[in-house]
Amino acid sequence: MGMTKSVFGKTSNGEVVHLVTVSNEKGMSMEVLDYGATLVSVNVPDKDGHTEDVALGYDDVLDYEKGTAYLGASIGRCGNRVDHAEFSINGKEYFMEKNEGENVCHSGPRCYSRRMWDMELLEEENSVRFHLVSPNMDQGFPGTFEVTVTYTLTEENELKIHYHGTCDQDSMVNMTNHSYFNLHGQDSGKLVEDHLVWIDADNFTPVRDDLIPTGEIRPVEGTPLDFRTEKLLGKDICDPYEQITIGGGYDHNFVLNHYDGTLRKVASVKDPESGRVMEVFTDLPAMQVYSGNFLAGGPAGKNGAVYVKRSGLAMETQYCPDAIHHENFVSPILKAGEVYDTVTVYKFHAE
């Protein structure tokens, strides 16, 4: 176990950004920033003990500022998409800033990923805790929301992300992490289409042409979105199925099985070449799976890596997108005085 802190750079406003490196005794390490409570890197040994960074990211904080792919970002107050950037709570209407046509994605241009967070090093727990206060009507949301995001690296090679928050008014809260993983290595130049993927989901939420859910909960059976039996990510990624065509690949919300608010394994990703395996655990009802269909054209990644279409795979645990408008989706409303408390784990090993 170990933890070091260094200066990563300065934002365009001159704010000093710090990088914290956390390591365990198994040869795994992670790096996080206080800008955006961002996960920068995840270094994992392969079956032969060779370590590679499997998380996409940047070497310069200015690239995090101008990048549009949300690499490693902590997303809030509400991740994913909201129809027409408006919603009602307790009969009152609220309006957000549109940033995706007539809709909003990841709460608009003032997403939590573009802010400085207070940071606390918890060396005994091998954890880094970030703290943010989002004032009333910030991003258009009611209530002052106080939230912490804690990253922990365990000796079991688990990267735990713990969200904990309260709000003084009823509000919509749906935090997530937007890391992209490539188990070959982030600068390998290889795509994730050859990764084997399993997802414990019998259903998904189909979308309109603008990627807003229709409200239907549709069985995956008989569709390219059926990952209940492990298969190559690229096997059906170009299938002419309408939902695949709309997203340009996978950019879909899966309704996870066995949801009861407790932590359970919901997915796995394997790279047969390196032997690296990533298992996903969450206590949330859904997960957006995004195959990096629009990664091309962004800033150069770490070590000069060029990220192209499908250079990384994001598995974003959350409430269903646009759940505020669909009574048949699990509600994303956090009641005043109640505690928002959720954990997601990315666990790594090699075989």
Side-chain angles (χ1 to χ4, degrees):
M1 294 175 61
M3 190 176 298
T4 61
K5 178 182 175 182
S6 60
V7 174
F8 186 72
K10 290 184 179 181
T11 68
S12 57
N13 293 328
E15 298 163 302
V16 178
V17 176
H18 295 94
L19 176 80
V20 176
T21 303
V22 184
S23 59
N24 67 11
E25 300 293 339
K26 301 292 181 63
M28 181 175 163
S29 65
M30 67 175 181
E31 293 179 318
V32 292
L33 293 179
D34 51 3
Y35 178 79
T38 300
L39 180 64
V40 174
S41 69
V42 181
N43 298 283
V44 184
D46 66 7
K47 60 186 177 182
D48 299 317
H50 181 66
T51 299
E52 291 284 356
D53 181 1
V54 300
L56 276 58
Y58 303 121
D59 285 326
D60 191 327
V61 68
L62 299 180
D63 291 331
Y64 281 105
E65 282 191 290
K66 65 187 179 185
T68 59
Y70 299 95
L71 302 189
S74 290
I75 303 293
R77 185 175 309 189
C78 180
N80 218 308
R81 297 174 173 91
V82 177
D83 192 13
H84 282 85
E86 59 184 50
F87 60 95
S88 297
I89 296 179
N90 301 327
K92 183 176 179 180
E93 291 214 11
Y94 298 93
F95 302 91
M96 307 164 69
E97 187 174 350
K98 298 173 182 178
N99 67 338
E100 195 174 83
E102 290 300 306
N103 307 315
V104 65
C105 186
H106 299 326
S107 299
R110 281 286 293 159
C111 183
Y112 292 176
S113 63
R114 300 186 182 277
R115 305 186 191 188
M116 293 296 300
W117 293 57
D118 294 329
M119 181 171 66
E120 180 183 7
L121 307 188
L122 306 173
E123 297 195 40
E124 291 187 3
E125 291 84 13
N126 226 28
S127 301
V128 183
R129 179 178 296 155
F130 298 100
H131 175 256
L132 183 73
V133 177
S134 176
N136 181 43
M137 298 311 300
D138 184 19
Q139 305 169 311
F141 294 100
T144 297
F145 178 54
E146 186 169 354
V147 61
T148 61
V149 177
T150 304
Y151 291 92
T152 301
L153 180 61
T154 75
E155 289 303 318
E156 289 71 42
N157 281 1
E158 297 167 317
L159 194 170
K160 292 185 177 181
I161 308 176
H162 180 200
Y163 306 87
H164 184 94
T166 58
C167 195
D168 59 3
Q169 297 183 44
D170 294 357
S171 193
M172 178 166 57
V173 179
N174 186 16
M175 301 283 293
T176 192
N177 180 275
H178 210 301
S179 291
Y180 297 75
F181 298 98
N182 184 324
L183 298 182
H184 292 298
Q186 66 90 23
D187 58 354
S188 65
K190 298 178 181 179
L191 306 182
V192 293
E193 293 176 348
D194 64 354
H195 287 15
L196 291 165
V197 176
W198 168 80
I199 303 171
D200 190 16
D202 293 336
N203 300 283
F204 76 104
T205 53
V207 294
R208 309 179 317 213
D209 288 345
D210 59 358
L211 299 176
I212 296 292
T214 64
E216 178 188 358
I217 296 177
R218 183 182 299 178
V220 298
E221 186 170 358
T223 79
L225 288 93
D226 191 348
F227 286 92
R228 294 174 299 174
T229 299
E230 185 181 71
K231 69 176 181 180
L232 289 172
L233 181 70
K235 180 177 184 295
D236 300 315
I237 205 166
C238 294
D239 192 281
Y241 183 64
E242 179 192 25
Q243 288 294 306
I244 296 294
T245 302
I246 289 172
Y250 295 107
D251 190 5
H252 294 84
N253 171 65
F254 289 79
V255 181
L256 301 170
N257 296 339
H258 313 300
Y259 169 64
D260 63 0
T262 60
L263 195 69
R264 79 269 188 219
K265 181 178 174 179
V266 299
S268 65
V269 183
K270 299 179 182 179
D271 168 28
E273 182 179 347
S274 68
R276 291 188 184 92
V277 179
M278 181 180 78
E279 299 172 306
V280 184
F281 299 76
T282 190
D283 51 19
L284 290 167
M287 181 174 68
Q288 185 85 6
V289 176
Y290 176 49
S291 52
N293 310 318
F294 299 97
L295 276 172
K302 292 172 291 183
N303 299 325
V306 177
Y307 300 143
V308 298
K309 185 177 183 178
R310 297 172 190 152
S311 286
L313 175 65
M315 308 190 91
E316 309 157 55
T317 58
Q318 58 190 258
Y319 291 95
C320 291
D322 200 37
I324 192 74
H325 291 130
H326 303 283
E327 291 185 359
N328 56 328
F329 294 176
V330 179
S331 174
I333 297 298
L334 175 67
K335 295 288 188 180
E338 292 187 354
V339 177
Y340 180 82
D341 193 88
T342 178
V343 174
T344 290
V345 178
Y346 299 102
K347 184 175 183 180
F348 297 86
H349 68 275
E351 59 184 35

mmCIF file of all heavy atoms in Angstrom, residues 3 25 35 48 67 85 93-94 103 123 128 220 233 244 259 263 300 305 333-334 350:
data_model
loop_
_atom_site.group_PDB
_atom_site.id
_atom_site.type_symbol
_atom_site.label_atom_id
_atom_site.label_comp_id
_atom_site.label_asym_id
_atom_site.label_seq_id
_atom_site.Cartn_x
_atom_site.Cartn_y
_atom_site.Cartn_z
ATOM 1 N N MET A 3 0.741 5.844 -1.107
ATOM 2 C CA MET A 3 0.014 6.979 -1.652
ATOM 3 C C MET A 3 0.972 8.152 -1.803
ATOM 4 O O MET A 3 1.728 8.472 -0.891
ATOM 5 C CB MET A 3 -1.137 7.333 -0.709
ATOM 6 C CG MET A 3 -2.124 8.343 -1.251
ATOM 7 S SD MET A 3 -3.514 8.612 -0.091
ATOM 8 C CE MET A 3 -4.250 6.981 -0.022
ATOM 9 N N GLU A 25 -0.298 -3.908 -2.673
ATOM 10 C CA GLU A 25 0.828 -4.850 -2.636
ATOM 11 C C GLU A 25 0.787 -5.847 -3.783
ATOM 12 O O GLU A 25 1.703 -6.655 -3.936
ATOM 13 C CB GLU A 25 0.831 -5.603 -1.296
ATOM 14 C CG GLU A 25 0.969 -4.721 -0.065
ATOM 15 C CD GLU A 25 2.328 -4.051 0.040
ATOM 16 O OE1 GLU A 25 3.286 -4.553 -0.591
ATOM 17 O OE2 GLU A 25 2.438 -3.024 0.747
ATOM 18 N N TYR A 35 -9.395 17.731 -9.939
ATOM 19 C CA TYR A 35 -10.200 18.357 -10.988
ATOM 20 C C TYR A 35 -11.196 17.314 -11.486
ATOM 21 O O TYR A 35 -10.825 16.292 -12.080
ATOM 22 C CB TYR A 35 -9.334 18.833 -12.155
ATOM 23 C CG TYR A 35 -10.155 19.445 -13.284
ATOM 24 C CD1 TYR A 35 -10.626 20.754 -13.192
ATOM 25 C CD2 TYR A 35 -10.483 18.712 -14.414
ATOM 26 C CE1 TYR A 35 -11.390 21.319 -14.212
ATOM 27 C CE2 TYR A 35 -11.249 19.269 -15.438
ATOM 28 C CZ TYR A 35 -11.696 20.564 -15.330
ATOM 29 O OH TYR A 35 -12.473 21.108 -16.331
ATOM 30 N N ASP A 48 1.110 -12.542 -17.303
ATOM 31 C CA ASP A 48 2.556 -12.739 -17.168
ATOM 32 C C ASP A 48 3.188 -11.747 -16.197
ATOM 33 O O ASP A 48 4.416 -11.688 -16.078
ATOM 34 C CB ASP A 48 3.227 -12.606 -18.540
ATOM 35 C CG ASP A 48 2.726 -13.641 -19.536
ATOM 36 O OD1 ASP A 48 2.582 -14.810 -19.144
ATOM 37 O OD2 ASP A 48 2.465 -13.270 -20.703
ATOM 38 N N GLY A 67 -11.863 18.408 -23.468
ATOM 39 C CA GLY A 67 -12.327 17.126 -23.991
ATOM 40 C C GLY A 67 -13.830 16.949 -23.813
ATOM 41 O O GLY A 67 -14.413 17.451 -22.847
ATOM 42 N N ALA A 85 -34.421 18.583 -21.489
ATOM 43 C CA ALA A 85 -33.690 19.302 -20.438
ATOM 44 C C ALA A 85 -34.623 19.933 -19.414
ATOM 45 O O ALA A 85 -34.350 21.010 -18.878
ATOM 46 C CB ALA A 85 -32.774 20.363 -21.054
ATOM 47 N N GLU A 93 -41.800 22.864 -12.091
ATOM 48 C CA GLU A 93 -40.953 22.575 -13.240
ATOM 49 C C GLU A 93 -39.561 23.182 -13.073
ATOM 50 O O GLU A 93 -39.395 24.280 -12.531
ATOM 51 C CB GLU A 93 -41.596 23.110 -14.527
ATOM 52 C CG GLU A 93 -42.847 22.351 -14.921
ATOM 53 C CD GLU A 93 -42.982 22.262 -16.441
ATOM 54 O OE1 GLU A 93 -42.025 22.599 -17.162
ATOM 55 O OE2 GLU A 93 -44.048 21.847 -16.882
ATOM 56 N N TYR A 94 -38.564 22.431 -13.560
ATOM 57 C CA TYR A 94 -37.174 22.872 -13.514
ATOM 58 C C TYR A 94 -36.572 22.725 -14.904
ATOM 59 O O TYR A 94 -36.926 21.812 -15.651
ATOM 60 C CB TYR A 94 -36.378 22.058 -12.490
ATOM 61 C CG TYR A 94 -36.890 22.219 -11.074
ATOM 62 C CD1 TYR A 94 -37.831 21.334 -10.542
ATOM 63 C CD2 TYR A 94 -36.446 23.272 -10.281
ATOM 64 C CE1 TYR A 94 -38.312 21.502 -9.260
ATOM 65 C CE2 TYR A 94 -36.918 23.439 -8.987
ATOM 66 C CZ TYR A 94 -37.856 22.548 -8.473
ATOM 67 O OH TYR A 94 -38.332 22.719 -7.204
ATOM 68 N N ASN A 103 -32.033 18.311 -25.856
ATOM 69 C CA ASN A 103 -31.948 17.565 -24.606
ATOM 70 C C ASN A 103 -30.695 17.948 -23.827
ATOM 71 O O ASN A 103 -29.899 18.789 -24.251
ATOM 72 C CB ASN A 103 -31.949 16.064 -24.921
ATOM 73 C CG ASN A 103 -33.130 15.667 -25.793
ATOM 74 O OD1 ASN A 103 -34.265 16.072 -25.557
ATOM 75 N ND2 ASN A 103 -32.864 14.882 -26.828
ATOM 76 N N GLU A 123 -5.028 7.611 4.111
ATOM 77 C CA GLU A 123 -3.957 6.658 3.837
ATOM 78 C C GLU A 123 -4.187 5.300 4.488
ATOM 79 O O GLU A 123 -3.826 4.264 3.914
ATOM 80 C CB GLU A 123 -2.624 7.262 4.285
ATOM 81 C CG GLU A 123 -2.273 8.528 3.498
ATOM 82 C CD GLU A 123 -0.825 8.943 3.662
ATOM 83 O OE1 GLU A 123 0.041 8.055 3.682
ATOM 84 O OE2 GLU A 123 -0.567 10.157 3.753
ATOM 85 N N VAL A 128 -8.953 7.935 -1.428
ATOM 86 C CA VAL A 128 -8.960 9.380 -1.651
ATOM 87 C C VAL A 128 -10.415 9.818 -1.699
ATOM 88 O O VAL A 128 -11.214 9.272 -2.476
ATOM 89 C CB VAL A 128 -8.258 9.764 -2.964
ATOM 90 C CG1 VAL A 128 -8.233 11.289 -3.107
ATOM 91 C CG2 VAL A 128 -6.850 9.200 -3.023
ATOM 92 N N VAL A 220 -33.717 -8.422 -24.036
ATOM 93 C CA VAL A 220 -32.542 -8.500 -24.902
ATOM 94 C C VAL A 220 -32.568 -9.749 -25.779
ATOM 95 O O VAL A 220 -31.866 -9.812 -26.792
ATOM 96 C CB VAL A 220 -31.230 -8.493 -24.081
ATOM 97 C CG1 VAL A 220 -31.100 -7.203 -23.289
ATOM 98 C CG2 VAL A 220 -31.148 -9.707 -23.152
ATOM 99 N N LEU A 233 -17.410 -8.312 -27.859
ATOM 100 C CA LEU A 233 -18.102 -7.040 -27.980
ATOM 101 C C LEU A 233 -18.380 -6.705 -29.443
ATOM 102 O O LEU A 233 -19.437 -6.164 -29.782
ATOM 103 C CB LEU A 233 -17.264 -5.922 -27.348
ATOM 104 C CG LEU A 233 -17.882 -4.523 -27.389
ATOM 105 C CD1 LEU A 233 -19.082 -4.437 -26.456
ATOM 106 C CD2 LEU A 233 -16.853 -3.457 -27.034
ATOM 107 N N ILE A 244 -28.908 -0.600 -32.701
ATOM 108 C CA ILE A 244 -27.471 -0.524 -32.934
ATOM 109 C C ILE A 244 -27.159 0.583 -33.937
ATOM 110 O O ILE A 244 -26.204 1.353 -33.787
ATOM 111 C CB ILE A 244 -26.924 -1.869 -33.427
ATOM 112 C CG1 ILE A 244 -27.095 -2.947 -32.340
ATOM 113 C CG2 ILE A 244 -25.463 -1.752 -33.828
ATOM 114 C CD1 ILE A 244 -26.274 -2.718 -31.100
ATOM 115 N N TYR A 259 -31.936 -6.549 -8.902
ATOM 116 C CA TYR A 259 -31.771 -5.280 -8.192
ATOM 117 C C TYR A 259 -32.557 -5.285 -6.891
ATOM 118 O O TYR A 259 -33.776 -5.472 -6.884
ATOM 119 C CB TYR A 259 -32.247 -4.119 -9.061
ATOM 120 C CG TYR A 259 -32.351 -2.806 -8.319
ATOM 121 C CD1 TYR A 259 -31.214 -2.197 -7.789
ATOM 122 C CD2 TYR A 259 -33.590 -2.187 -8.130
ATOM 123 C CE1 TYR A 259 -31.303 -1.001 -7.098
ATOM 124 C CE2 TYR A 259 -33.687 -0.978 -7.445
ATOM 125 C CZ TYR A 259 -32.541 -0.399 -6.928
ATOM 126 O OH TYR A 259 -32.633 0.777 -6.242
ATOM 127 N N LEU A 263 -25.065 -4.759 -3.169
ATOM 128 C CA LEU A 263 -23.981 -4.928 -4.130
ATOM 129 C C LEU A 263 -23.995 -6.335 -4.707
ATOM 130 O O LEU A 263 -24.064 -7.323 -3.972
ATOM 131 C CB LEU A 263 -22.648 -4.666 -3.425
ATOM 132 C CG LEU A 263 -21.425 -4.440 -4.299
ATOM 133 C CD1 LEU A 263 -21.514 -3.110 -5.037
ATOM 134 C CD2 LEU A 263 -20.157 -4.484 -3.446
ATOM 135 N N ALA A 300 -5.033 14.189 -27.809
ATOM 136 C CA ALA A 300 -4.202 12.995 -27.656
ATOM 137 C C ALA A 300 -4.266 12.508 -26.211
ATOM 138 O O ALA A 300 -4.330 13.301 -25.265
ATOM 139 C CB ALA A 300 -2.760 13.309 -28.048
ATOM 140 N N ALA A 305 -1.153 8.675 -26.881
ATOM 141 C CA ALA A 305 -2.080 7.702 -27.462
ATOM 142 C C ALA A 305 -3.122 8.400 -28.324
ATOM 143 O O ALA A 305 -3.622 9.469 -27.963
ATOM 144 C CB ALA A 305 -2.769 6.904 -26.353
ATOM 145 N N ILE A 333 -35.227 10.208 -7.686
ATOM 146 C CA ILE A 333 -35.483 11.301 -6.742
ATOM 147 C C ILE A 333 -34.833 11.000 -5.389
ATOM 148 O O ILE A 333 -35.046 9.932 -4.808
ATOM 149 C CB ILE A 333 -36.992 11.525 -6.558
ATOM 150 C CG1 ILE A 333 -37.640 11.949 -7.879
ATOM 151 C CG2 ILE A 333 -37.242 12.594 -5.494
ATOM 152 C CD1 ILE A 333 -37.119 13.253 -8.427
ATOM 153 N N LEU A 334 -34.052 11.957 -4.915
ATOM 154 C CA LEU A 334 -33.517 11.908 -3.560
ATOM 155 C C LEU A 334 -34.347 12.846 -2.703
ATOM 156 O O LEU A 334 -34.406 14.052 -2.958
ATOM 157 C CB LEU A 334 -32.045 12.338 -3.542
ATOM 158 C CG LEU A 334 -31.397 12.436 -2.162
ATOM 159 C CD1 LEU A 334 -31.272 11.053 -1.525
ATOM 160 C CD2 LEU A 334 -30.028 13.118 -2.254
ATOM 161 N N ALA A 350 -6.104 -11.509 -13.526
ATOM 162 C CA ALA A 350 -5.641 -12.061 -14.795
ATOM 163 C C ALA A 350 -5.725 -13.578 -14.724
ATOM 164 O O ALA A 350 -5.548 -14.179 -13.666
ATOM 165 C CB ALA A 350 -4.216 -11.614 -15.081
#
